[in-house]
Amino acid sequence: MQHLGNIFLYNNNSINRELYHQNLEKQGYFLFDTDNLHKFSLYHKEVTPNVLLFDFAPHTPIEYIASLENNFSRASIPLIVVSEAPNAMIYHPSISHYLNHEEAARRLSDILESYCIGGKHHHILYINLKPYERSDFAKSVRASTYTMFEVNNIASAQKYLQKNRPSVICINFLPVLSKSQKLFAFPKTFYVENTQNIKEIEQFLN
């Protein structure tokens, strides 16, 4: 079986454990799965993962989630947090993706493939640097026929662009726009507000 990439999973949500093993290992990923934070920290220093994935059971205290974010804030590896906690309560700039469990069921496979395998041509790379706000823009894209890869920090957006080619890049934080245009050297890079919708950039997707 082809080796697609290394996924390191910190998982204190036993309900999902078998699901991860059945889906990810069957697809060809190497999965290191533990609910022991010490083991997780040691192992990820020995073997380089493509993605660090955290799945938190619904009862996990917000303070505990926040403490883990600080432990891994210097990692240059995309961090995905799957939790029912509100994004505003667990926001940390090192986190690449915030998903609840319903969203993870729909979107996690695409995220992992984008980082590990690549070759994706999403219509929109949405660099959402304000994931603690309600995003009407993201909602409108998902309700449309367009595809989108949403990421919440610049470093992981760079990782994505190493292997994938979107049609446009949208950024919702104006001070970062000019820096990003130089960093990515990508011609179709636009500023959008979370309150906007897909109609305002649709002309650039054709």
Side-chain angles (χ1 to χ4, degrees), residues 132-169:
Y132 41 81
E133 293 182 350
R134 188 184 80 180
S135 181
D136 294 330
F137 179 77
K139 186 177 179 181
S140 74
V141 176
R142 293 196 174 99
S144 73
T145 57
Y146 298 108
T147 56
M148 177 177 67
F149 187 87
E150 180 178 356
V151 64
N152 301 126
N153 60 45
I154 294 294
S156 293
Q158 287 180 282
K159 291 275 186 185
Y160 168 87
L161 286 168
Q162 288 171 6
K163 295 185 177 181
N164 306 277
R165 186 73 176 178
S167 298
V168 304
I169 297 176

Side-chain angles (χ1 to χ4, degrees), residues 104-122:
R106 296 194 311 268
R107 295 169 49 197
L108 185 59
S109 179
D110 182 56
I111 293 171
L112 296 179
E113 287 176 14
S114 298
Y115 286 126
C116 297
I117 306 168
K120 298 275 187 175
H121 297 281
H122 296 98

Side-chain angles (χ1 to χ4, degrees), residues 15 49 60 68 70 73 78 82-83 98 111 123 125 127 149 165 173 175 184-185 192:
I15 295 174
T60 307
L68 289 190
N70 290 328
S73 62
V82 182
S83 169
Y98 298 85
I111 293 171
H123 291 104
L125 167 61
I127 305 175
F149 187 87
R165 186 73 176 178
F173 190 52
F184 302 142
V192 298

Side-chain angles (χ1 to χ4, degrees), residues 61-106:
I62 287 173
E63 295 78 13
Y64 182 67
I65 298 175
S67 71
L68 289 190
E69 294 163 4
N70 290 328
N71 284 342
F72 293 93
S73 62
R74 295 185 182 180
S76 60
I77 301 159
L79 307 180
I80 304 171
V81 169
V82 182
S83 169
E84 300 305 314
N87 294 354
M89 299 293 290
I90 59 172
Y91 171 74
H92 193 285
S94 66
I95 297 178
S96 312
H97 304 269
Y98 298 85
L99 305 171
N100 60 38
H101 289 92
E102 183 182 343
E103 290 170 331
R106 296 194 311 268

